[in-house]
């Protein structure tokens, strides 16, 4: 058991292999947070301090005790209305009155990890995890709250979710519901977040948490390119290899909100949960609400360890299905080769080229359905454009299979164009505000996935295509944010965005059940919905629409803080790069792209020279050789591509016997000094060997570093594979 309750002190201990999380039911039955950090034994309630603080109110049952204020205490689940004026985790309204007071009632410790109805959640076997369910109640409001904690010792992860029940006789409304709250009594912290835009996702930002409230959020109904639902609090002196840090990551693909604030007494609060704007969930007597899950981890050995904890958790306890642990097919995607402008001959020729270059799969991207020759029409009409394809999708799929290739297609099921048969038949299926013109994005509207009739019909249409086309791989795209939050069948519009995501998950779950062997890749204009919620249904996600190798260094660097290489879709594309015009060597494009397991090409091989084709064949041989190591290995960030002119990273196999080091120089100068990149994670006593027999003592590689050879020319790369000497 990883969870202990000490009856005498009323303390809960949650132990992982390297950390301890401790909380206590105090004398007023408030669940206070005590400690999260290095693994310890014993009682940490000495950390709690009580003083009479001006303007910090005292809960009613504290009577005249002016030293007891929730404004100054670290809490597990602070709510609005009890005198804590910091950011609340929960706010409910009863007849517009904002009041809530949660007290401990009981708890249950169970073997195994809890699951959440209708929502993705970390999963684990009975001996890999335990669950703590702490029950709090507000008797006046008639509300019971279950604080769920899932403890996964081997990956140093604690998950959290909250279930709220109306056990009373009156309605109340959920106005703000965070999933996780972490109050740290001491220390000064930086907040690390991952901001971006379409084509430049997950840039790392690191800022001091000052005496103010910092918020990251998405109001877009999707997790977004602009902020990723992932945040880290790190002690100010924490580095990649040393120091204390905490992460929170949302297992949810809709709008979210994350807060970090330092209060008047230097206590730091971190929260993550549902976006409170455009959210108000009515709770009638007898009803239940489940919050999406938050994955938390803690490292006392720097950000690298923190990321690797999360990587293991996502790789083994979030992603599912047969592709989770399998090397993925090397694919050729038609998008940057033809966009929507193709016919069957072009597609078959692309497939022949893919085969000739020894690839495994052809993916037919956007443009194969309805009336879809550009991105202004056709979404929603999920029937094959047989004129364009010169036959059925089944026939095309068969021909591609006969060439010895797998076959994949692109879909965007959540969307509709006004110029489509679907919209003409069912205009009310698109979300628009009555009486107003629709707000368009990419000239398309969002279908109301909070409605079951809409889900069922689109599901039927998509399945008909998949059944006919013998489809091995599906790219699930989503290309706009939600603006017009309105559902024709809802009386309360505050539930639409949440129910939409439940609908999306229901659809994806049904798809996974019906096509268990199909590889699904998530996508949203690249990485606009790159989150742990999607990863429960799609074991890889297209990381960015930006395929430029140098921009990708930053994108993949930022992504690596919260997501393993096993889930990253990354392709080699043509030069000059379509998105930014930069010219980089083919080798560099390959080295960067193969650091994601969803490896492939996004170009037209017919226009390549024979030398380039030969280089691609060799590149694919390398990819196949290193793929298991990249899929399952531990990733180390060796430099910072934003600050250092050599970007370097490495993968080390779990038994430390295999190592792959990759480096890319983003600057070049005459007569420049040598860059020595210090390796990490090796067996320090061992000697490692290169393919040509050259030996490297691990201690020296980790202390003095590996020299990155100087080469003339821009954006050169260096990759070396080392094996531990027996
Ligand atoms: C999005 C995707 C691209 C491509 C296009 C097709 O932008 O991210 O990879 O599939 O849609 O319209």
């Amino acid at each position: 058991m990883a969870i202990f309750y000490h009856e005498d002190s009323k303390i809960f201990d949650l132990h992982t292999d390297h950390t301890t999380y401790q909380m206590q039911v105090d004398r007023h039955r408030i669940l206070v947070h005590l400690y999260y950090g290095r693994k310890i034994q014993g009682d940490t309630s000495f950390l709690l301090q009580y003083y009479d603080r001006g303007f910090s109110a005292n809960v009613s049952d504290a009577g005249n005790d002016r030293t007891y204020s929730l404004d100054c205490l670290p809490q597990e689940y602070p709510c609005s209305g009890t005198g804590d004026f910091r950011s609340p985790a929960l706010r409910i309204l009863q007849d517009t009155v904002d009041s809530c007071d949660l007290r401990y009632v009981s708890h249950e410790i169970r073997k195994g990890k809890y699951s959440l109805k209708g929502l993705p959640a970390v999963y684990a076997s009975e001996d890999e995890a335990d669950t703590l369910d702490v029950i709090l109640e507000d008797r006046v409001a008639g509300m019971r709250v279950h604080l769920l904690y899932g403890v996964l010792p081997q990956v140093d992860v604690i998950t959290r979710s909250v279930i709220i029940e109306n056990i009373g006789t009156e309605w109340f409304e959920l106005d703000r519901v965070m999933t996780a709250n972490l109050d740290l009594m001491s220390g000064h912290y930086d907040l690390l977040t991952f901001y971006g835009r379409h084509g430049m996702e997950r840039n790392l930002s690191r800022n001091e948490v000052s005496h103010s409230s910092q918020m990251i959020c998405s109001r877009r109904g999707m997790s977004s390119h602009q902020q990723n639902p992932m945040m880290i609090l790190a002690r100010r002196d924490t580095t990649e290899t040393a120091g204390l840090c905490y992460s929170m990551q949302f297992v949810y693909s809709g709008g979210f909100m994350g807060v970090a604030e330092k209060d008047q007494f230097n206590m730091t609060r971190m929260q993550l949960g549902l976006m409170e704007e455009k959210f108000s969930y009515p709770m009638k007597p007898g009803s239940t609400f489940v919050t999406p899950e938050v994955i938390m981890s803690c490292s006392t050995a720097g950000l690298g360890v923190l990321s690797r904890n999360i990587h293991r958790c996502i790789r083994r306890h979030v992603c599912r299905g047969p592709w989770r642990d399998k090397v993925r097919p090397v694919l050729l995607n038609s998008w940057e080769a033809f966009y929507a402008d193709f016919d069957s001959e072009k597609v078959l020729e692309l497939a022949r080229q893919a085969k000739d270059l020894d690839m495994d799969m052809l993916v037919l991207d956007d443009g194969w359905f309805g009336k879809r020759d550009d991105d202004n029409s056709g979404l929603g009409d999920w029937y094959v454009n047989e004129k364009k394809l010169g036959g059925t999708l089944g026939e095309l799929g068969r021909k591609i299979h006969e060439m010895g290739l797998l076959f994949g297609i692109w879909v965007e099921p959540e969307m509709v164009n006004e110029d489509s048969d679907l919209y003409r038949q069912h205009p009310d299926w698109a979300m628009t505000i009555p009486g107003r013109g629709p707000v368009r994005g990419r000239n398309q509207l969002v279908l109301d996935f909070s409605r079951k009739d809409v889900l069922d019909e689109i599901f039927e249409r998509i399945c008909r295509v998949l059944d006919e086309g013998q489809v091995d791989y599906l790219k699930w795209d989503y290309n706009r944010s939600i603006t017009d939050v309105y559902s024709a069948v809802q009386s309360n519009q505050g539930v639409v965005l949440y129910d939409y995501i439940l609908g999306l998950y229901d659809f994806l779950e049904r798809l996974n059940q019906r096509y268990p062997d199909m590889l699904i890749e998530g996508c949203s204009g690249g990485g606009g919905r790159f989150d742990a919620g999607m990863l429960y249904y799609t074991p890889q996600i297209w990381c960015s629409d930006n395929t430029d190798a140098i921009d990708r260094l930053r994108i993949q660097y930022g992504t690596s803080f919260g997501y393993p290489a096993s889930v990253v879709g990354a392709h080699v594309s043509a030069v000059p790069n379509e998105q930014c015009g930069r010219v980089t060597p083919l080798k560099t494009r390959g080295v960067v792209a193969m650091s994601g397991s969803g490896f492939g090409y996004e170009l037209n091989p017919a226009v390549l020279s024979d030398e380039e084709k030969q280089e691609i064949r060799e590149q694919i041989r390398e990819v196949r050789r290193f793929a298991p190591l990249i899929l399952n290995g531990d990733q180390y960030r060796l430099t910072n591509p934003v600050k250092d002119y050599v970007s370097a990273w490495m993968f080390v196999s779990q038994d430390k016997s295999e190592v792959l080091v990759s480096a890319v120089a983003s600057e070049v100068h005459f007569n420049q000094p040598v860059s020595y990149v210090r390796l990490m994670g090796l067996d320090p006593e061992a000697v490692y060997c290169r393919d040509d027999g050259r030996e490297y003592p691990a201690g020296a590689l980790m202390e003095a570093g590996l020299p990155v050879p100087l080469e003339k020319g821009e954006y050169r790369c260096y990759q070396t594979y080392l094996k531990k000497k027996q």
Side-chain angles (χ1 to χ4, degrees), residues 198 333 335 365-366 372 375 410 412 442 475 477 479 523-526 542 544-545 602:
H198 176 221
N333 180 298
W335 184 241
D365 209 281
D366 196 353
R372 185 78 172 169
D375 58 11
W410 176 97
E412 194 177 358
R442 208 192 189 196
K475 179 172 169 188
D477 212 340
N479 279 312
C523 176
S524 170
W542 181 225
S544 177
D545 271 351
E602 188 106 4

mmCIF file of all heavy atoms in Angstrom, residues 198 333 335 365-366 372 375 410 412 442 475 477 479 523-526 542 544-545 602, ligand 1:
data_model
loop_
_atom_site.group_PDB
_atom_site.id
_atom_site.type_symbol
_atom_site.label_atom_id
_atom_site.label_comp_id
_atom_site.label_asym_id
_atom_site.label_seq_id
_atom_site.Cartn_x
_atom_site.Cartn_y
_atom_site.Cartn_z
ATOM 1 N N HIS A 198 -0.314 28.938 -33.626
ATOM 2 C CA HIS A 198 -0.352 27.924 -34.674
ATOM 3 C C HIS A 198 1.022 27.873 -35.353
ATOM 4 O O HIS A 198 1.557 28.899 -35.788
ATOM 5 C CB HIS A 198 -1.444 28.290 -35.704
ATOM 6 C CG HIS A 198 -1.488 27.353 -36.864
ATOM 7 N ND1 HIS A 198 -1.671 27.769 -38.157
ATOM 8 C CD2 HIS A 198 -1.363 26.008 -36.930
ATOM 9 C CE1 HIS A 198 -1.659 26.735 -38.968
ATOM 10 N NE2 HIS A 198 -1.473 25.644 -38.245
ATOM 11 N N ASN A 333 2.872 11.325 -46.099
ATOM 12 C CA ASN A 333 1.597 12.037 -46.039
ATOM 13 C C ASN A 333 1.461 12.940 -47.269
ATOM 14 O O ASN A 333 2.406 13.613 -47.661
ATOM 15 C CB ASN A 333 1.556 12.865 -44.741
ATOM 16 C CG ASN A 333 0.265 13.643 -44.594
ATOM 17 O OD1 ASN A 333 -0.059 14.501 -45.414
ATOM 18 N ND2 ASN A 333 -0.485 13.339 -43.557
ATOM 19 N N TRP A 335 -0.220 15.712 -47.735
ATOM 20 C CA TRP A 335 -0.614 17.117 -47.586
ATOM 21 C C TRP A 335 0.360 18.088 -48.240
ATOM 22 O O TRP A 335 0.008 18.833 -49.143
ATOM 23 C CB TRP A 335 -0.840 17.443 -46.100
ATOM 24 C CG TRP A 335 -1.347 18.828 -45.866
ATOM 25 C CD1 TRP A 335 -0.736 19.807 -45.147
ATOM 26 C CD2 TRP A 335 -2.568 19.406 -46.341
ATOM 27 N NE1 TRP A 335 -1.490 20.950 -45.136
ATOM 28 C CE2 TRP A 335 -2.631 20.736 -45.871
ATOM 29 C CE3 TRP A 335 -3.621 18.936 -47.137
ATOM 30 C CZ2 TRP A 335 -3.683 21.592 -46.160
ATOM 31 C CZ3 TRP A 335 -4.678 19.799 -47.422
ATOM 32 C CH2 TRP A 335 -4.702 21.095 -46.941
ATOM 33 N N ASP A 365 -4.264 12.668 -47.044
ATOM 34 C CA ASP A 365 -4.719 13.745 -46.148
ATOM 35 C C ASP A 365 -6.003 14.363 -46.697
ATOM 36 O O ASP A 365 -6.729 13.748 -47.502
ATOM 37 C CB ASP A 365 -3.569 14.768 -45.983
ATOM 38 C CG ASP A 365 -3.595 15.482 -44.651
ATOM 39 O OD1 ASP A 365 -4.409 16.412 -44.514
ATOM 40 O OD2 ASP A 365 -2.828 15.116 -43.740
ATOM 41 N N ASP A 366 -6.260 15.570 -46.309
ATOM 42 C CA ASP A 366 -7.490 16.286 -46.645
ATOM 43 C C ASP A 366 -7.775 16.265 -48.160
ATOM 44 O O ASP A 366 -6.855 16.371 -48.969
ATOM 45 C CB ASP A 366 -7.270 17.739 -46.183
ATOM 46 C CG ASP A 366 -8.549 18.518 -46.105
ATOM 47 O OD1 ASP A 366 -9.582 18.001 -46.529
ATOM 48 O OD2 ASP A 366 -8.488 19.661 -45.612
ATOM 49 N N ARG A 372 -14.445 18.844 -51.996
ATOM 50 C CA ARG A 372 -13.340 19.355 -51.163
ATOM 51 C C ARG A 372 -12.081 19.523 -52.008
ATOM 52 O O ARG A 372 -11.161 18.685 -51.959
ATOM 53 C CB ARG A 372 -13.103 18.356 -50.022
ATOM 54 C CG ARG A 372 -12.071 18.782 -48.991
ATOM 55 C CD ARG A 372 -12.583 19.795 -48.009
ATOM 56 N NE ARG A 372 -11.622 20.036 -46.938
ATOM 57 C CZ ARG A 372 -11.738 21.034 -46.064
ATOM 58 N NH1 ARG A 372 -12.761 21.867 -46.106
ATOM 59 N NH2 ARG A 372 -10.821 21.196 -45.122
ATOM 60 N N ASP A 375 -10.126 24.419 -48.771
ATOM 61 C CA ASP A 375 -10.684 24.280 -47.421
ATOM 62 C C ASP A 375 -11.925 25.144 -47.170
ATOM 63 O O ASP A 375 -12.192 25.555 -46.056
ATOM 64 C CB ASP A 375 -9.598 24.509 -46.353
ATOM 65 C CG ASP A 375 -8.929 25.873 -46.473
ATOM 66 O OD1 ASP A 375 -9.439 26.718 -47.236
ATOM 67 O OD2 ASP A 375 -7.905 26.089 -45.795
ATOM 68 N N TRP A 410 -7.277 11.047 -43.623
ATOM 69 C CA TRP A 410 -7.497 12.216 -42.755
ATOM 70 C C TRP A 410 -8.988 12.440 -42.576
ATOM 71 O O TRP A 410 -9.762 12.274 -43.520
ATOM 72 C CB TRP A 410 -6.874 13.418 -43.460
ATOM 73 C CG TRP A 410 -7.039 14.764 -42.837
ATOM 74 C CD1 TRP A 410 -6.143 15.409 -42.042
ATOM 75 C CD2 TRP A 410 -8.140 15.685 -42.993
ATOM 76 N NE1 TRP A 410 -6.616 16.656 -41.689
ATOM 77 C CE2 TRP A 410 -7.839 16.858 -42.257
ATOM 78 C CE3 TRP A 410 -9.360 15.630 -43.675
ATOM 79 C CZ2 TRP A 410 -8.700 17.950 -42.191
ATOM 80 C CZ3 TRP A 410 -10.219 16.722 -43.602
ATOM 81 C CH2 TRP A 410 -9.889 17.868 -42.865
ATOM 82 N N GLU A 412 -11.960 15.127 -40.241
ATOM 83 C CA GLU A 412 -12.174 16.212 -39.273
ATOM 84 C C GLU A 412 -13.638 16.167 -38.830
ATOM 85 O O GLU A 412 -14.454 17.022 -39.194
ATOM 86 C CB GLU A 412 -11.812 17.569 -39.896
ATOM 87 C CG GLU A 412 -11.689 18.642 -38.851
ATOM 88 C CD GLU A 412 -11.263 20.002 -39.397
ATOM 89 O OE1 GLU A 412 -11.019 20.124 -40.611
ATOM 90 O OE2 GLU A 412 -11.183 20.940 -38.592
ATOM 91 N N ARG A 442 -11.467 29.263 -40.406
ATOM 92 C CA ARG A 442 -11.094 28.496 -41.598
ATOM 93 C C ARG A 442 -12.332 28.226 -42.462
ATOM 94 O O ARG A 442 -12.476 27.144 -43.029
ATOM 95 C CB ARG A 442 -10.419 27.176 -41.224
ATOM 96 C CG ARG A 442 -9.430 26.680 -42.283
ATOM 97 C CD ARG A 442 -8.979 25.254 -42.053
ATOM 98 N NE ARG A 442 -7.887 24.914 -42.956
ATOM 99 C CZ ARG A 442 -7.474 23.694 -43.214
ATOM 100 N NH1 ARG A 442 -8.044 22.661 -42.645
ATOM 101 N NH2 ARG A 442 -6.485 23.474 -44.038
ATOM 102 N N LYS A 475 -5.985 10.053 -39.269
ATOM 103 C CA LYS A 475 -5.522 11.330 -38.701
ATOM 104 C C LYS A 475 -6.759 12.146 -38.342
ATOM 105 O O LYS A 475 -7.533 12.517 -39.227
ATOM 106 C CB LYS A 475 -4.662 12.065 -39.739
ATOM 107 C CG LYS A 475 -4.135 13.412 -39.286
ATOM 108 C CD LYS A 475 -3.141 13.940 -40.324
ATOM 109 C CE LYS A 475 -2.772 15.382 -40.098
ATOM 110 N NZ LYS A 475 -1.960 15.903 -41.212
ATOM 111 N N ASP A 477 -8.361 15.360 -37.183
ATOM 112 C CA ASP A 477 -7.992 16.777 -37.140
ATOM 113 C C ASP A 477 -9.108 17.623 -36.525
ATOM 114 O O ASP A 477 -10.270 17.183 -36.416
ATOM 115 C CB ASP A 477 -7.684 17.251 -38.574
ATOM 116 C CG ASP A 477 -6.621 18.331 -38.613
ATOM 117 O OD1 ASP A 477 -6.395 18.979 -37.584
ATOM 118 O OD2 ASP A 477 -6.028 18.529 -39.688
ATOM 119 N N ASN A 479 -9.766 21.949 -36.666
ATOM 120 C CA ASN A 479 -9.068 23.120 -37.185
ATOM 121 C C ASN A 479 -9.650 24.487 -36.875
ATOM 122 O O ASN A 479 -9.482 25.424 -37.659
ATOM 123 C CB ASN A 479 -8.898 22.970 -38.697
ATOM 124 C CG ASN A 479 -7.709 22.079 -39.012
ATOM 125 O OD1 ASN A 479 -6.631 22.258 -38.472
ATOM 126 N ND2 ASN A 479 -7.916 21.094 -39.862
ATOM 127 N N CYS A 523 -4.667 15.527 -34.064
ATOM 128 C CA CYS A 523 -4.118 16.692 -34.758
ATOM 129 C C CYS A 523 -5.100 17.834 -34.562
ATOM 130 O O CYS A 523 -6.305 17.620 -34.482
ATOM 131 C CB CYS A 523 -3.983 16.369 -36.256
ATOM 132 S SG CYS A 523 -3.410 17.763 -37.253
ATOM 133 N N SER A 524 -4.579 19.040 -34.483
ATOM 134 C CA SER A 524 -5.456 20.196 -34.457
ATOM 135 C C SER A 524 -4.643 21.348 -35.009
ATOM 136 O O SER A 524 -3.928 22.023 -34.269
ATOM 137 C CB SER A 524 -5.896 20.483 -33.023
ATOM 138 O OG SER A 524 -6.551 21.726 -32.987
ATOM 139 N N GLY A 525 -4.664 21.496 -36.339
ATOM 140 C CA GLY A 525 -3.780 22.481 -36.963
ATOM 141 C C GLY A 525 -2.378 22.257 -36.427
ATOM 142 O O GLY A 525 -1.720 23.177 -35.963
ATOM 143 N N GLY A 526 -1.941 20.991 -36.453
ATOM 144 C CA GLY A 526 -0.700 20.593 -35.781
ATOM 145 C C GLY A 526 -1.007 20.292 -34.326
ATOM 146 O O GLY A 526 -1.849 19.455 -34.013
ATOM 147 N N TRP A 542 0.098 14.860 -33.991
ATOM 148 C CA TRP A 542 0.900 15.669 -34.906
ATOM 149 C C TRP A 542 1.329 16.927 -34.133
ATOM 150 O O TRP A 542 0.507 17.710 -33.697
ATOM 151 C CB TRP A 542 0.056 15.988 -36.142
ATOM 152 C CG TRP A 542 0.701 16.793 -37.223
ATOM 153 C CD1 TRP A 542 0.125 17.849 -37.877
ATOM 154 C CD2 TRP A 542 1.985 16.601 -37.826
ATOM 155 N NE1 TRP A 542 0.987 18.326 -38.833
ATOM 156 C CE2 TRP A 542 2.140 17.584 -38.822
ATOM 157 C CE3 TRP A 542 3.031 15.695 -37.610
ATOM 158 C CZ2 TRP A 542 3.287 17.689 -39.603
ATOM 159 C CZ3 TRP A 542 4.175 15.806 -38.385
ATOM 160 C CH2 TRP A 542 4.293 16.791 -39.362
ATOM 161 N N SER A 544 3.127 19.701 -34.700
ATOM 162 C CA SER A 544 2.976 21.075 -35.195
ATOM 163 C C SER A 544 2.832 21.048 -36.703
ATOM 164 O O SER A 544 3.423 20.191 -37.370
ATOM 165 C CB SER A 544 4.217 21.892 -34.833
ATOM 166 O OG SER A 544 4.108 23.190 -35.376
ATOM 167 N N ASP A 545 2.109 22.024 -37.257
ATOM 168 C CA ASP A 545 2.070 22.165 -38.715
ATOM 169 C C ASP A 545 3.391 22.715 -39.231
ATOM 170 O O ASP A 545 3.625 22.738 -40.441
ATOM 171 C CB ASP A 545 0.930 23.110 -39.126
ATOM 172 C CG ASP A 545 -0.375 22.355 -39.336
ATOM 173 O OD1 ASP A 545 -0.352 21.114 -39.326
ATOM 174 O OD2 ASP A 545 -1.426 23.009 -39.495
ATOM 175 N N GLU A 602 6.604 14.318 -45.554
ATOM 176 C CA GLU A 602 5.501 15.201 -45.934
ATOM 177 C C GLU A 602 5.999 15.948 -47.165
ATOM 178 O O GLU A 602 6.335 17.118 -47.102
ATOM 179 C CB GLU A 602 5.279 16.147 -44.729
ATOM 180 C CG GLU A 602 4.100 17.028 -44.779
ATOM 181 C CD GLU A 602 2.976 16.595 -43.840
ATOM 182 O OE1 GLU A 602 3.141 15.625 -43.075
ATOM 183 O OE2 GLU A 602 1.923 17.222 -43.914
HETATM 184 C C1 LIG B 1 -4.430 20.842 -40.604
HETATM 185 C C2 LIG B 1 -3.372 19.813 -40.304
HETATM 186 C C3 LIG B 1 -2.516 19.574 -41.517
HETATM 187 C C4 LIG B 1 -3.392 19.121 -42.665
HETATM 188 C C5 LIG B 1 -4.489 20.139 -42.905
HETATM 189 C C6 LIG B 1 -5.511 19.615 -43.910
HETATM 190 O O1 LIG B 1 -3.873 22.099 -40.767
HETATM 191 O O2 LIG B 1 -2.610 20.181 -39.187
HETATM 192 O O3 LIG B 1 -1.518 18.622 -41.247
HETATM 193 O O4 LIG B 1 -3.927 17.857 -42.371
HETATM 194 O O5 LIG B 1 -5.192 20.460 -41.718
HETATM 195 O O6 LIG B 1 -6.518 20.515 -44.139
#
